[in-house]
Amino acid sequence: MATEPDHGVEVQVRAHAGRPAEVLIEAARDADLLVVGHRGRGAFRSVALGSVGLGCVLHAPCPVLVVPVPTTPPTAPTAGTATVRTAR
């Protein structure tokens, strides 16, 4: 697994057996934010969420951020852009 720089954000990586949406919702019980990916597979690739993402958005006990797979490779920030991250 690639290591990212620490920006003051705690990230926990875990593996659990079960239905993905249910496992994520339970794991998010004490979380400040749940981040899930969206691969865009299916008839409405860029519009519709998958069953896991939708289940999390509808039932998670905290805010959910759905991150789509980028269509182009990420680039380094340029002058005049900013990235904001907050942590508790």
Side-chain angles (χ1 to χ4, degrees), residues 5-55:
D6 180 2
H7 295 286
V9 177
E10 178 185 348
V11 176
Q12 298 178 0
V13 179
R14 302 183 221 165
H16 294 276
R19 294 182 175 177
E22 293 174 6
V23 171
L24 288 167
I25 291 165
E26 176 61 27
R29 185 176 32 179
D30 296 322
D32 295 321
L33 176 68
L34 174 61
V35 180
V36 296
H38 171 55
R39 293 184 296 189
R41 296 186 180 190
F44 302 102
R45 292 177 196 207
S46 63
V47 180
L49 288 177
S51 59
V52 175
L54 183 59

Side-chain angles (χ1 to χ4, degrees), residues 59-74:
H59 301 291
C62 63
V64 177
L65 174 63
V66 180
V67 180
V69 172
T71 56
T72 59

